[in-house]
Amino acid sequence: MSPVSSLPLLLAAASPSPSPSETPTTPAVPTLEDAQESATNAASWVEENWSTWLAIGLRVLLIVVIAAVLRVVVRRAITKLIDRMNRSVPTTEGSTLGGLLVNVERRRQRSQAIGSVLRSVASFLILGTAALMVLATFEINLAPLLASAGVAGVAIGFGARNLVTDFLSGVFMILEDQYGVGDTVDAGVASGEVIEVGLRVTKLRGDNGEIWYVRNGEVKRIGNLSQGWATAGVDVTVRADEDLDKVRRTLAEVGETMGKEEPWNELLWGPVEVLGLDDVLLESMVVRVSAKTMPGKALTIERELRWRIKKAFDAADIRIVGGIPAQPDGPADDPAAAVSPPSVYANTASPQSERATPITPPGVPTK
């Protein structure tokens, strides 16, 4: 008999046997044979199932590695695509104004927003598919999980429909390049210069310096005042007896001089044109002047044109009429000056009223 097998017998002989009247109060201590049997069972179970677990582990590892590599490759491809979009400069047909219209900050934010959306969507699809494949490898029933996810998605869609609407509207606004940073837009609910374009909210700087936070889902129409070109129009009202040829010649000289000076030659994208008479009245006539300008600079050109036209007309002795006539200076008139004083005949007790009262004949009672 081996020493290991005789060890339990020696321990049993050395320990006193309990009497029948005594009841054991402590649980029996596992013996070495029990431990040896448990280890044997575990080893046999591992020996029987190690191949299955190894196959599952290798499959999970393969899925994780493929998902990680695919995610890195897709994200790099999206980054390169966005960089190429950011380097490309759109051109305008028939002109060389495309390079001037490109705003570096606008293109940078637009490319970053598009890249962020594409990378997030790609990561969600790849990692979500990998997670489902890993669960399927462990033979987990995915039907209840997918059904619960569908119900949760519907509930979130109804509860956060405004958020989803804002997000989708922002994505399409960025993809379609409806506006960008630096553009002056009229969004209906607010207007101003775009200072930040987000997927949910667009920030606008108003004319008075205020910042408008406009939700993309609330924007039903967009009027972009910074794309293409703008038109500056000035109406000049002169007397009806003025010489039209002289007026046209003076306006043409003003436009030609302005188009040769800096910085107006850069802001003007076309010659200042005298379109002709816009309205003819009995005492006045309106001459229309127009010019194609850089986007967002129409108001500046209009103000400068009015300034130069007024100086040129004064030098050419052409009088500008129209508008509200100026009020004479001096103290304001008394509003009660035009009111007639009260008549003395309004008072029945006055001497004038008593003299005007007819004499009552004798015998007639007076009232």
Side-chain angles (χ1 to χ4, degrees), residues 168-217:
L168 293 179
S169 300
V171 170
F172 283 106
M173 285 180 181
I174 294 175
L175 291 177
E176 296 172 359
D177 195 18
Q178 298 181 7
Y179 54 83
V181 175
D183 289 351
T184 302
V185 300
D186 181 4
V189 294
S191 60
E193 181 182 356
V194 179
I195 60 177
E196 185 177 344
V197 180
L199 294 177
R200 192 183 68 89
V201 174
T202 298
K203 292 183 182 179
L204 303 178
R205 175 78 67 178
D207 296 335
N208 297 325
E210 69 276 10
I211 296 180
W212 297 96
Y213 294 85
V214 182
R215 288 172 42 199
N216 295 328

Short mmCIF file of all heavy atoms in Angstrom, two decimals, residues 168-217:
data_model
loop_
_atom_site.label_atom_id
_atom_site.label_comp_id
_atom_site.label_asym_id
_atom_site.label_seq_id
_atom_site.Cartn_x
_atom_site.Cartn_y
_atom_site.Cartn_z
N LEU A 168 -31.16 65.36 -38.18
CA LEU A 168 -31.24 65.04 -39.61
C LEU A 168 -31.22 66.31 -40.46
O LEU A 168 -30.59 66.35 -41.52
CB LEU A 168 -32.51 64.23 -39.88
CG LEU A 168 -32.55 62.82 -39.27
CD1 LEU A 168 -33.87 62.14 -39.60
CD2 LEU A 168 -31.39 61.98 -39.78
N SER A 169 -31.92 67.36 -40.00
CA SER A 169 -31.89 68.62 -40.74
C SER A 169 -30.49 69.20 -40.80
O SER A 169 -30.05 69.70 -41.84
CB SER A 169 -32.85 69.62 -40.10
OG SER A 169 -34.18 69.14 -40.10
N GLY A 170 -29.76 69.12 -39.67
CA GLY A 170 -28.39 69.61 -39.67
C GLY A 170 -27.48 68.83 -40.60
O GLY A 170 -26.62 69.41 -41.28
N VAL A 171 -27.67 67.52 -40.65
CA VAL A 171 -26.85 66.69 -41.55
C VAL A 171 -27.08 67.09 -43.00
O VAL A 171 -26.13 67.28 -43.78
CB VAL A 171 -27.15 65.20 -41.33
CG1 VAL A 171 -26.50 64.36 -42.41
CG2 VAL A 171 -26.65 64.75 -39.96
N PHE A 172 -28.34 67.24 -43.40
CA PHE A 172 -28.63 67.59 -44.79
C PHE A 172 -28.21 69.02 -45.11
O PHE A 172 -27.78 69.31 -46.24
CB PHE A 172 -30.12 67.41 -45.08
CG PHE A 172 -30.51 65.97 -45.28
CD1 PHE A 172 -31.21 65.28 -44.32
CD2 PHE A 172 -30.15 65.30 -46.44
CE1 PHE A 172 -31.56 63.95 -44.50
CE2 PHE A 172 -30.49 63.98 -46.63
CZ PHE A 172 -31.19 63.30 -45.67
N MET A 173 -28.31 69.93 -44.15
CA MET A 173 -27.85 71.30 -44.39
C MET A 173 -26.35 71.34 -44.66
O MET A 173 -25.87 72.07 -45.53
CB MET A 173 -28.19 72.19 -43.19
CG MET A 173 -29.65 72.56 -43.09
SD MET A 173 -29.96 73.60 -41.65
CE MET A 173 -31.74 73.82 -41.79
N ILE A 174 -25.61 70.53 -43.90
CA ILE A 174 -24.16 70.50 -44.09
C ILE A 174 -23.79 69.79 -45.39
O ILE A 174 -22.92 70.25 -46.15
CB ILE A 174 -23.49 69.83 -42.88
CG1 ILE A 174 -23.68 70.69 -41.63
CG2 ILE A 174 -22.01 69.59 -43.15
CD1 ILE A 174 -23.16 70.05 -40.37
N LEU A 175 -24.45 68.67 -45.67
CA LEU A 175 -24.14 67.94 -46.90
C LEU A 175 -24.48 68.76 -48.14
O LEU A 175 -23.74 68.73 -49.13
CB LEU A 175 -24.90 66.61 -46.91
CG LEU A 175 -24.45 65.56 -45.90
CD1 LEU A 175 -25.34 64.33 -45.99
CD2 LEU A 175 -23.01 65.16 -46.12
N GLU A 176 -25.57 69.49 -48.12
CA GLU A 176 -25.98 70.30 -49.26
C GLU A 176 -25.30 71.67 -49.30
O GLU A 176 -25.53 72.42 -50.26
CB GLU A 176 -27.50 70.48 -49.24
CG GLU A 176 -28.27 69.18 -49.41
CD GLU A 176 -29.77 69.36 -49.20
OE1 GLU A 176 -30.17 70.51 -48.93
OE2 GLU A 176 -30.50 68.37 -49.31
N ASP A 177 -24.52 71.99 -48.27
CA ASP A 177 -23.80 73.26 -48.21
C ASP A 177 -24.76 74.44 -48.39
O ASP A 177 -24.53 75.34 -49.21
CB ASP A 177 -22.70 73.31 -49.26
CG ASP A 177 -21.71 74.44 -49.00
OD1 ASP A 177 -21.69 74.94 -47.86
OD2 ASP A 177 -20.98 74.82 -49.92
N GLN A 178 -25.85 74.44 -47.61
CA GLN A 178 -26.81 75.53 -47.71
C GLN A 178 -26.25 76.84 -47.16
O GLN A 178 -26.56 77.91 -47.67
CB GLN A 178 -28.10 75.15 -46.96
CG GLN A 178 -28.79 73.93 -47.55
CD GLN A 178 -30.06 73.58 -46.80
OE1 GLN A 178 -30.50 74.32 -45.92
NE2 GLN A 178 -30.67 72.45 -47.13
N TYR A 179 -25.44 76.76 -46.12
CA TYR A 179 -24.77 77.94 -45.59
C TYR A 179 -23.56 77.47 -44.80
O TYR A 179 -23.41 76.28 -44.52
CB TYR A 179 -25.71 78.78 -44.70
CG TYR A 179 -26.36 78.00 -43.59
CD1 TYR A 179 -25.70 77.76 -42.39
CD2 TYR A 179 -27.64 77.51 -43.73
CE1 TYR A 179 -26.30 77.05 -41.37
CE2 TYR A 179 -28.26 76.80 -42.72
CZ TYR A 179 -27.58 76.57 -41.54
OH TYR A 179 -28.17 75.85 -40.53
N GLY A 180 -22.70 78.41 -44.45
CA GLY A 180 -21.50 78.08 -43.70
C GLY A 180 -21.07 79.25 -42.84
O GLY A 180 -21.72 80.31 -42.80
N VAL A 181 -19.96 79.08 -42.15
CA VAL A 181 -19.43 80.11 -41.27
C VAL A 181 -19.05 81.34 -42.09
O VAL A 181 -18.38 81.23 -43.12
CB VAL A 181 -18.21 79.59 -40.49
CG1 VAL A 181 -17.58 80.69 -39.66
CG2 VAL A 181 -18.61 78.42 -39.60
N GLY A 182 -19.50 82.49 -41.64
CA GLY A 182 -19.24 83.74 -42.34
C GLY A 182 -20.34 84.19 -43.26
O GLY A 182 -20.33 85.34 -43.71
N ASP A 183 -21.30 83.32 -43.57
CA ASP A 183 -22.42 83.70 -44.43
C ASP A 183 -23.43 84.53 -43.66
O ASP A 183 -23.64 84.34 -42.45
CB ASP A 183 -23.12 82.46 -44.99
CG ASP A 183 -22.26 81.75 -46.03
OD1 ASP A 183 -21.22 82.31 -46.41
OD2 ASP A 183 -22.61 80.63 -46.43
N THR A 184 -24.06 85.44 -44.35
CA THR A 184 -25.18 86.20 -43.80
C THR A 184 -26.47 85.58 -44.32
O THR A 184 -26.69 85.56 -45.54
CB THR A 184 -25.09 87.68 -44.22
OG1 THR A 184 -23.85 88.22 -43.75
CG2 THR A 184 -26.24 88.48 -43.62
N VAL A 185 -27.29 85.08 -43.41
CA VAL A 185 -28.47 84.32 -43.81
C VAL A 185 -29.70 84.89 -43.13
O VAL A 185 -29.62 85.56 -42.09
CB VAL A 185 -28.32 82.82 -43.44
CG1 VAL A 185 -27.13 82.21 -44.15
CG2 VAL A 185 -28.21 82.62 -41.95
N ASP A 186 -30.84 84.60 -43.73
CA ASP A 186 -32.15 84.89 -43.16
C ASP A 186 -32.85 83.55 -42.98
O ASP A 186 -33.28 82.92 -43.95
CB ASP A 186 -32.94 85.81 -44.09
CG ASP A 186 -34.31 86.16 -43.52
OD1 ASP A 186 -34.61 85.76 -42.37
OD2 ASP A 186 -35.10 86.82 -44.22
N ALA A 187 -32.92 83.11 -41.72
CA ALA A 187 -33.50 81.80 -41.42
C ALA A 187 -34.98 81.87 -41.08
O ALA A 187 -35.54 80.86 -40.63
CB ALA A 187 -32.73 81.14 -40.27
N GLY A 188 -35.60 82.98 -41.24
CA GLY A 188 -37.02 83.11 -40.90
C GLY A 188 -37.21 83.48 -39.45
O GLY A 188 -37.73 84.56 -39.13
N VAL A 189 -36.79 82.60 -38.54
CA VAL A 189 -36.92 82.88 -37.11
C VAL A 189 -35.86 83.86 -36.62
O VAL A 189 -36.03 84.49 -35.58
CB VAL A 189 -36.85 81.57 -36.30
CG1 VAL A 189 -38.04 80.69 -36.61
CG2 VAL A 189 -35.57 80.81 -36.62
N ALA A 190 -34.75 83.97 -37.35
CA ALA A 190 -33.68 84.90 -36.99
C ALA A 190 -32.83 85.13 -38.23
O ALA A 190 -32.86 84.37 -39.18
CB ALA A 190 -32.82 84.36 -35.85
N SER A 191 -32.07 86.21 -38.19
CA SER A 191 -31.18 86.54 -39.30
C SER A 191 -29.89 87.11 -38.73
O SER A 191 -29.87 87.68 -37.64
CB SER A 191 -31.83 87.55 -40.26
OG SER A 191 -32.13 88.75 -39.57
N GLY A 192 -28.81 86.94 -39.48
CA GLY A 192 -27.52 87.45 -39.05
C GLY A 192 -26.40 86.68 -39.71
O GLY A 192 -26.61 85.92 -40.67
N GLU A 193 -25.20 86.83 -39.17
CA GLU A 193 -24.01 86.16 -39.70
C GLU A 193 -23.81 84.84 -38.99
O GLU A 193 -23.87 84.76 -37.76
CB GLU A 193 -22.78 87.05 -39.51
CG GLU A 193 -21.50 86.44 -40.06
CD GLU A 193 -20.30 87.33 -39.81
OE1 GLU A 193 -20.50 88.44 -39.28
OE2 GLU A 193 -19.18 86.90 -40.12
N VAL A 194 -23.54 83.79 -39.74
CA VAL A 194 -23.34 82.46 -39.18
C VAL A 194 -21.96 82.41 -38.54
O VAL A 194 -20.94 82.69 -39.20
CB VAL A 194 -23.47 81.38 -40.27
CG1 VAL A 194 -23.24 80.00 -39.68
CG2 VAL A 194 -24.84 81.45 -40.93
N ILE A 195 -21.91 82.09 -37.25
CA ILE A 195 -20.63 81.98 -36.54
C ILE A 195 -20.30 80.54 -36.18
O ILE A 195 -19.16 80.23 -35.86
CB ILE A 195 -20.62 82.86 -35.27
CG1 ILE A 195 -21.74 82.42 -34.31
CG2 ILE A 195 -20.75 84.31 -35.63
CD1 ILE A 195 -21.72 83.21 -33.00
N GLU A 196 -21.28 79.64 -36.23
CA GLU A 196 -21.02 78.22 -35.95
C GLU A 196 -22.16 77.39 -36.52
O GLU A 196 -23.33 77.74 -36.37
CB GLU A 196 -20.88 77.97 -34.45
CG GLU A 196 -20.50 76.54 -34.11
CD GLU A 196 -20.31 76.33 -32.61
OE1 GLU A 196 -20.16 77.34 -31.89
OE2 GLU A 196 -20.30 75.17 -32.18
N VAL A 197 -21.79 76.29 -37.17
CA VAL A 197 -22.77 75.36 -37.74
C VAL A 197 -22.62 74.03 -37.02
O VAL A 197 -21.55 73.42 -37.05
CB VAL A 197 -22.56 75.19 -39.25
CG1 VAL A 197 -23.57 74.21 -39.82
CG2 VAL A 197 -22.67 76.52 -39.96
N GLY A 198 -23.68 73.60 -36.35
CA GLY A 198 -23.69 72.33 -35.65
C GLY A 198 -24.73 71.39 -36.23
O GLY A 198 -25.55 71.77 -37.07
N LEU A 199 -24.70 70.15 -35.77
CA LEU A 199 -25.67 69.17 -36.24
C LEU A 199 -27.05 69.40 -35.64
O LEU A 199 -28.05 68.94 -36.20
CB LEU A 199 -25.19 67.76 -35.91
CG LEU A 199 -23.92 67.30 -36.63
CD1 LEU A 199 -23.52 65.91 -36.16
CD2 LEU A 199 -24.13 67.31 -38.12
N ARG A 200 -27.13 70.10 -34.52
CA ARG A 200 -28.43 70.34 -33.89
C ARG A 200 -28.79 71.82 -33.86
O ARG A 200 -29.95 72.19 -34.06
CB ARG A 200 -28.43 69.80 -32.45
CG ARG A 200 -29.82 69.74 -31.82
CD ARG A 200 -29.75 69.27 -30.39
NE ARG A 200 -29.10 70.24 -29.53
CZ ARG A 200 -29.74 71.22 -28.92
NH1 ARG A 200 -31.04 71.38 -29.08
NH2 ARG A 200 -29.09 72.06 -28.13
N VAL A 201 -27.81 72.70 -33.65
CA VAL A 201 -28.07 74.13 -33.47
C VAL A 201 -27.12 74.91 -34.36
O VAL A 201 -25.95 74.54 -34.52
CB VAL A 201 -27.90 74.55 -31.99
CG1 VAL A 201 -28.03 76.06 -31.84
CG2 VAL A 201 -28.93 73.86 -31.12
N THR A 202 -27.63 75.99 -34.94
CA THR A 202 -26.82 76.94 -35.71
C THR A 202 -26.78 78.27 -34.96
O THR A 202 -27.82 78.76 -34.53
CB THR A 202 -27.39 77.15 -37.12
OG1 THR A 202 -27.37 75.90 -37.82
CG2 THR A 202 -26.58 78.17 -37.89
N LYS A 203 -25.59 78.84 -34.80
CA LYS A 203 -25.43 80.11 -34.09
C LYS A 203 -25.33 81.25 -35.11
O LYS A 203 -24.55 81.18 -36.06
CB LYS A 203 -24.16 80.10 -33.22
CG LYS A 203 -24.23 79.14 -32.04
CD LYS A 203 -22.97 79.24 -31.21
CE LYS A 203 -23.01 78.26 -30.04
NZ LYS A 203 -21.76 78.34 -29.23
N LEU A 204 -26.13 82.29 -34.87
CA LEU A 204 -26.13 83.47 -35.73
C LEU A 204 -25.80 84.70 -34.90
O LEU A 204 -26.26 84.83 -33.76
CB LEU A 204 -27.51 83.66 -36.40
CG LEU A 204 -28.06 82.52 -37.25
CD1 LEU A 204 -29.43 82.89 -37.77
CD2 LEU A 204 -27.12 82.21 -38.39
N ARG A 205 -25.02 85.59 -35.47
CA ARG A 205 -24.71 86.88 -34.85
C ARG A 205 -25.59 87.94 -35.48
O ARG A 205 -25.50 88.21 -36.68
CB ARG A 205 -23.24 87.23 -35.04
CG ARG A 205 -22.84 88.60 -34.54
CD ARG A 205 -22.69 88.64 -33.04
NE ARG A 205 -21.56 87.85 -32.60
CZ ARG A 205 -21.18 87.74 -31.34
NH1 ARG A 205 -21.88 88.37 -30.39
NH2 ARG A 205 -20.14 87.00 -31.01
N GLY A 206 -26.50 88.52 -34.69
CA GLY A 206 -27.43 89.51 -35.19
C GLY A 206 -26.78 90.85 -35.49
O GLY A 206 -25.59 91.09 -35.22
N ASP A 207 -27.57 91.76 -36.04
CA ASP A 207 -27.06 93.08 -36.41
C ASP A 207 -26.65 93.90 -35.18
O ASP A 207 -25.75 94.74 -35.27
CB ASP A 207 -28.11 93.86 -37.21
CG ASP A 207 -28.42 93.19 -38.55
OD1 ASP A 207 -27.53 92.47 -39.05
OD2 ASP A 207 -29.53 93.38 -39.07
N ASN A 208 -27.30 93.66 -34.05
CA ASN A 208 -26.99 94.41 -32.83
C ASN A 208 -26.00 93.68 -31.93
O ASN A 208 -25.82 94.05 -30.77
CB ASN A 208 -28.27 94.68 -32.04
CG ASN A 208 -29.24 95.56 -32.82
OD1 ASN A 208 -28.82 96.45 -33.55
ND2 ASN A 208 -30.53 95.31 -32.67
N GLY A 209 -25.39 92.60 -32.44
CA GLY A 209 -24.40 91.86 -31.66
C GLY A 209 -24.95 90.68 -30.89
O GLY A 209 -24.17 89.95 -30.26
N GLU A 210 -26.27 90.49 -30.90
CA GLU A 210 -26.82 89.37 -30.16
C GLU A 210 -26.56 88.06 -30.88
O GLU A 210 -26.35 88.03 -32.10
CB GLU A 210 -28.34 89.55 -29.95
CG GLU A 210 -29.18 89.42 -31.22
CD GLU A 210 -29.26 90.69 -32.01
OE1 GLU A 210 -28.51 91.64 -31.68
OE2 GLU A 210 -30.04 90.75 -32.97
N ILE A 211 -26.53 86.96 -30.13
CA ILE A 211 -26.30 85.63 -30.68
C ILE A 211 -27.61 84.86 -30.65
O ILE A 211 -28.25 84.74 -29.60
CB ILE A 211 -25.22 84.87 -29.89
CG1 ILE A 211 -23.87 85.58 -30.02
CG2 ILE A 211 -25.08 83.43 -30.40
CD1 ILE A 211 -22.75 84.91 -29.27
N TRP A 212 -28.03 84.36 -31.80
CA TRP A 212 -29.24 83.57 -31.93
C TRP A 212 -28.86 82.09 -32.03
O TRP A 212 -28.00 81.72 -32.83
CB TRP A 212 -30.04 83.97 -33.16
CG TRP A 212 -30.54 85.38 -33.15
CD1 TRP A 212 -29.95 86.46 -33.72
CD2 TRP A 212 -31.72 85.87 -32.51
NE1 TRP A 212 -30.69 87.60 -33.50
CE2 TRP A 212 -31.79 87.27 -32.75
CE3 TRP A 212 -32.73 85.27 -31.77
CZ2 TRP A 212 -32.82 88.05 -32.28
CZ3 TRP A 212 -33.77 86.06 -31.30
CH2 TRP A 212 -33.81 87.43 -31.54
N TYR A 213 -29.50 81.26 -31.21
CA TYR A 213 -29.34 79.81 -31.29
C TYR A 213 -30.58 79.26 -31.98
O TYR A 213 -31.67 79.22 -31.39
CB TYR A 213 -29.19 79.20 -29.89
CG TYR A 213 -27.92 79.61 -29.18
CD1 TYR A 213 -27.85 80.79 -28.45
CD2 TYR A 213 -26.77 78.81 -29.24
CE1 TYR A 213 -26.68 81.18 -27.81
CE2 TYR A 213 -25.60 79.18 -28.59
CZ TYR A 213 -25.57 80.37 -27.87
OH TYR A 213 -24.42 80.74 -27.23
N VAL A 214 -30.41 78.86 -33.21
CA VAL A 214 -31.53 78.41 -34.04
C VAL A 214 -31.44 76.90 -34.19
O VAL A 214 -30.42 76.37 -34.65
CB VAL A 214 -31.50 79.09 -35.42
CG1 VAL A 214 -32.69 78.64 -36.25
CG2 VAL A 214 -31.50 80.61 -35.27
N ARG A 215 -32.49 76.20 -33.78
CA ARG A 215 -32.54 74.75 -33.99
C ARG A 215 -32.73 74.45 -35.47
O ARG A 215 -33.54 75.08 -36.14
CB ARG A 215 -33.69 74.14 -33.18
CG ARG A 215 -33.46 74.10 -31.68
CD ARG A 215 -34.71 73.67 -30.94
NE ARG A 215 -35.37 72.58 -31.63
CZ ARG A 215 -36.64 72.24 -31.44
NH1 ARG A 215 -37.38 72.94 -30.61
NH2 ARG A 215 -37.15 71.23 -32.08
N ASN A 216 -31.96 73.50 -35.95
CA ASN A 216 -32.00 73.20 -37.38
C ASN A 216 -33.36 72.66 -37.81
O ASN A 216 -33.77 72.85 -38.96
CB ASN A 216 -30.92 72.17 -37.72
CG ASN A 216 -29.53 72.73 -37.51
OD1 ASN A 216 -29.30 73.93 -37.67
ND2 ASN A 216 -28.60 71.88 -37.14
N GLY A 217 -34.08 71.99 -36.91
CA GLY A 217 -35.39 71.47 -37.27
C GLY A 217 -36.45 72.54 -37.43
O GLY A 217 -37.49 72.31 -38.04
#
